[in-house]
Structures are given as C-alpha cells and as structure tokens.
Amino acid sequence: DARVTQTPRHKVTEMGQEVTMRCQPILGHNTVFWYRQTMMQGLELLAYFRNRAPLDDSGMPKDRFSAEMPDATLATLKIQPSEPRDSAVYFCASGLMGIGSPLHFGNGTRLTVT
Amino acid sequence: GQQVMQIPQYQHVQEGEDFTTYCNSSTTLSNIQWYKQRPGGHPVFLIQLVKSGEVKKQKRLTFQFGEAKKNSSLHITATQTTDVGTYFCADFNDYKLSFGAGTTVTVRA
C-alpha cells in the first residue's frame, strides 16, 4: 500500500532551535501540500508544490518557515528559529494534479517547542 | 481564511442513532471533498462531490451536494463506535484544498 511517509513522528525542541520535517510523497504524485493542525486553527494550508515547484506559500510565516522539494521523493519544511506557538501537528499530503484528486496524508509530525 | 463553514462543531451521538453534519459556503464551490480523521490519526479521504444535487452513498454514510453548490451534508445512519472522529469538508479551489473546521463526533454506547 503506497503511503506518504513523514519523519520524525515526534519532535520536542527548545525555543530558538531549528526544526526540519521531512516528507516522502507517494511515487508518481505531482502535488505536495504542507498543513499545520492545531485545536484553535484547525487544518491550515502552509504551502503546496506542483511538479516540485512552489505554487503557494501564502499561509506560511515567511520570516521563519521555509518549504522546499529538492527532488521528487523529498519535501522539507523548516522552521528557524522555532517558537512555542509553532507547536502543532504538521501534515504532509500528496496527490495527483487535477480537480478532485484526493489527497493522501502522512501520519504527521507532532512538534512541541518549549 | 476558511471558505467553508461546518456545523455543528461537536456532535455527541447515542450509538444506533442517525446524525447529519453540514458544510456551507457563501460562494459557489467547484467541488467538495470529505475526509475523516480518527483521534490521533491523519485525515483520510472519503468521497468527492462535483455535480449539483449529487448524492453518493458509502454503506451507512450519505453525502449530498446542494443544488446551488454552496452546501454539502454528510448523514450517518445507525451510528457505531467506529464512526468516532472528526469529519472535514474541503473545498478544492484554485488547485488548493482548504478545509473546514470539522465536526468532531463522539459516540456513547
């Protein structure tokens, strides 16, 4: 069963540290999304890529967050420096281009910044 | 911000009862997708609705898209404990999927 793989599953770090989250999309999928989930804000879209090109990162705090796809098998989301308000579950999802194509989510990275 | 609004935010259901959760938009939606997230899990795709007035069924789940394509509903009959979780509707617009706040369902046996 093909699935989206995210690492790490859990990350606890101190404020000010750099955090890197990784995602391996399903082979053949050409769109990758990063979402952040909190109790207060729900599922927020941070960034998305199509064919590895960033199309929209308007949901992402630009000063500290960055998202990249160095190749088709890897997407990264980096926070530098991290802050306690960044504590959340970060999901990566991949899909095929086209209206109505379902997204396949990874298990998420639960980030805690102290 | 979110384009789709979901109500209710919480639904506490007696096992065996039916319930409905709603997804509303002020603008016309191109299509609607529904996802389910179990506690501690990740969202899992359930279904997509595209056509005005479309109705689709998956066992005890019935999904409907409004005639004006501004609302959608999910109706679950004979609720079971396996139905526990948060149900999200999501609007696929401009090749982005934007999620509603979800309806969190708990079931009492």
Side-chain angles (χ1 to χ4, degrees):
Chain A
D1 235 8
R3 56 181 178 169
V4 176
T5 304
Q6 287 187 248
T7 56
R9 288 296 308 275
H10 303 273
K11 176 72 177 178
V12 180
T13 191
E14 292 183 347
M15 181 174 65
Q17 297 297 307
E18 177 178 301
V19 175
T20 298
M21 291 169 271
R22 293 177 173 80
C23 168
Q24 181 176 5
I26 292 174
L27 189 65
H29 282 185
N30 59 359
T31 59
V32 173
F33 294 73
W34 283 104
Y35 288 91
R36 174 171 65 183
Q37 187 173 41
T38 60
M39 288 292 291
M40 293 300 294
Q41 299 296 326
L43 275 164
E44 299 175 275
L45 177 63
L46 296 176
Y48 82 103
F49 294 79
R50 187 194 310 167
N51 296 324
R52 294 178 54 202
L55 289 191
D56 189 333
D57 60 2
S58 58
M60 206 163 64
K62 299 291 189 302
D63 55 337
R64 299 183 299 107
F65 285 60
S66 62
E68 295 179 346
M69 276 202 76
D71 62 61
T73 65
L74 177 64
T76 62
L77 179 65
K78 192 172 294 187
I79 308 174
Q80 167 64 22
S82 58
E83 297 181 2
R85 58 180 168 152
D86 301 329
S87 297
V89 180
Y90 291 81
F91 287 107
C92 172
S94 72
L96 288 170
M97 178 61 187
I99 292 176
S101 177
L103 287 189
H104 298 260
F105 282 76
N107 288 327
T109 294
R110 181 173 293 277
L111 173 65
T112 303
V113 183
T114 61
Chain B
Q2 292 166 346
Q3 186 175 355
V4 290
M5 304 295 293
Q6 286 190 253
I7 51 171
Q9 186 177 358
Y10 298 98
Q11 183 82 54
H12 192 53
V13 188
Q14 176 72 45
E15 190 175 17
E17 289 184 345
D18 302 352
F19 76 90
T20 303
T21 177
Y22 300 90
C23 179
N24 299 314
S25 172
S26 58
T27 59
T28 302
L29 303 167
S30 56
N31 66 31
I32 276 283
Q33 296 184 1
W34 284 89
Y35 290 75
K36 177 184 178 181
Q37 183 177 19
R38 294 181 187 275
H42 58 275
V44 175
F45 175 78
L46 292 177
I47 210 147
Q48 178 193 252
L49 304 171
V50 178
K51 300 176 184 175
S52 168
E54 189 171 16
V55 178
K56 288 188 177 180
K57 292 189 176 184
Q58 287 181 350
K59 297 182 181 178
R60 295 178 296 101
L61 278 59
T62 301
F63 303 84
Q64 187 164 3
F65 206 2
E67 292 291 338
K69 299 183 72 172
K70 288 187 175 181
N71 56 73
S72 180
S73 64
L74 161 59
H75 181 78
I76 299 182
T77 58
T79 303
Q80 300 177 358
T81 54
T82 53
D83 296 325
V84 164
T86 301
Y87 294 83
F88 294 98
C89 64
D91 166 41
F92 204 99
N93 185 34
D94 195 25
Y95 300 105
K96 295 187 296 186
L97 201 60
S98 299
F99 286 81
T103 293
T104 298
V105 176
T106 53
V107 179
R108 57 181 182 272

